[in-house]
Amino acid sequence: KTAQRLTNKNLAMAVSLQHRSLLLMLFSWMLIMTGKPATVAGLFQPSEWTQAHATFYGDESASATMGGACGYGNLFINGYGTDTAALSSTLFNDGYACGTCYQIQCVQSSACFSNVAYTTVTATNICPPNWAEASDNGGWCNPPRAHFDMSKPAFMKIAQWKAGIVPVMYRRVGCVRSGGLRFSFQGNGYWLLVYVMNVGGGGDIANMWVKGSGTGWISMSHNWGASYQAFATLSGQSLSFKATSYTTKETIIAWNVAPTNWGVGLTYSSNVNFS
């Protein structure tokens, strides 16, 4: 009987390893066939490398990058620092790309630093089209171009800044964040506007819900960038949030994020995040 149990255990281990191998083959197949991040059971996998171009805006202080269309405010205080980029509207996806992470590699230019493989940036802003300029001569962010307008410190990690613009290869990668999701409040007791920050995994949010201690789950609509809103009377209640990743479709719940005396202009941290 002991020998039989060992045989069964070994068989189960072999099946488990075979199952994992099949999953890895599935990941690889999805990457090759679609060129998009592969997701199975909520796991994020990098996309394939794709061609684009990169410029920069602002100076070495990156002060021009503060704020931005995603609504992250002070990028130093909120954990994003200077490793950021504004995306062309083709990539920005009406704000659903806010918080996504990219590896960017300078290629095919004498301005590229040969000893740097790539740098990693977070999408925090939009680079709007410039219809007064041709898309290949000044209108770098015009659709359908995929383009990264990087902070100057981020650009200077991969190329000489005097080049102005360089060809790059890029790919979506998972966002590695320390701590849980962060929720920055605006609005009032009857209209709650929430900016979602420090999002791990795919880095993006597709849907949000809020739950007061005296209500059920209330669906929040996408406002713009990384913000979601609910028209509901929630003052005097502790608040919980439910969020679904745009890329992986994984849903997590952050219970009791804000106390009953929550206020606008404040940011509340949770203890959960996407992996």
Side-chain angles (χ1 to χ4, degrees):
K1 292 183 179 180
T2 301
Q4 183 64 42
R5 282 197 295 268
L6 289 174
T7 301
N8 291 340
K9 182 178 179 180
N10 292 339
L11 179 61
M13 290 176 63
V15 171
S16 177
L17 288 171
Q18 184 181 33
H19 179 68
R20 293 180 185 179
S21 298
L22 288 172
L23 277 176
L24 289 173
M25 291 174 60
L26 177 61
F27 283 148
S28 302
W29 179 84
M30 291 175 69
L31 231 75
I32 294 170
M33 296 299 295
T34 68
K36 298 179 180 180
T39 56
V40 174
L43 299 176
F44 184 92
Q45 295 294 311
S47 68
E48 66 177 5
W49 290 95
T50 307
Q51 292 182 330
H53 283 80
T55 51
F56 67 86
Y57 68 114
D59 57 21
E60 285 88 342
S61 71
S63 59
T65 68
M66 298 300 110
C70 291
Y72 294 140
N74 189 310
L75 300 179
F76 294 108
I77 293 175
N78 291 317
Y80 297 102
T82 61
D83 292 328
T84 63
L87 307 184
S88 60
S89 57
T90 298
L91 295 174
F92 192 68
N93 192 22
D94 292 329
Y96 286 107
C98 284
T100 52
C101 298
Y102 301 84
Q103 289 176 347
I104 300 180
Q105 180 184 59
C106 182
V107 296
Q108 300 174 350
S109 171
S110 60
C112 298
F113 294 140
S114 59
N115 62 335
V116 178
Y118 57 80
T119 191
T120 304
V121 297
T122 301
T124 60
N125 205 352
I126 185 174
C127 179
N130 181 2
W131 301 115
E133 303 290 345
S135 61
D136 60 351
N137 187 23
W140 310 120
C141 293
N142 295 352
R145 290 179 67 104
H147 188 86
F148 296 86
D149 199 17
M150 305 169 68
S151 73
K152 190 173 183 180
F155 186 91
M156 291 171 64
K157 289 183 177 181
I158 60 171
Q160 300 174 28
W161 68 268
K162 289 184 179 180
I165 180 171
V166 293
V168 298
M169 298 294 288
Y170 76 94
R171 67 173 181 170
R172 276 279 307 277
V173 293
C175 297
V176 179
R177 303 296 183 205
S178 176
L181 300 177
R182 302 181 68 192
F183 304 87
S184 180
F185 287 12
Q186 297 295 330
N188 52 52
Y190 311 98
W191 170 62
L192 181 63
L193 181 68
V194 178
Y195 291 89
V196 191
M197 300 180 292
N198 201 50
V199 182
D204 47 18
I205 298 292
N207 300 106
M208 282 269 296
W209 295 262
V210 60
K211 183 184 184 307
S213 50
T215 74
W217 287 107
I218 300 169
S219 179
M220 305 181 75
S221 59
H222 183 224
N223 183 286
W224 177 250
S227 67
Y228 290 79
Q229 62 188 1
F231 295 90
T233 303
L234 295 167
S235 58
Q237 302 181 55
S238 59
L239 302 181
S240 302
F241 293 94
K242 181 165 59 173
T244 299
S245 167
Y246 190 94
T247 301
T248 68
K249 313 306 179 187
E250 180 186 3
T251 298
I252 59 176
I253 297 177
W255 292 104
N256 301 316
V257 169
T260 55
N261 62 341
W262 60 265
V264 298
L266 299 177
T267 300
Y268 300 92
S269 298
S270 71
N271 58 2
V272 295
N273 211 330
F274 297 100
S275 57

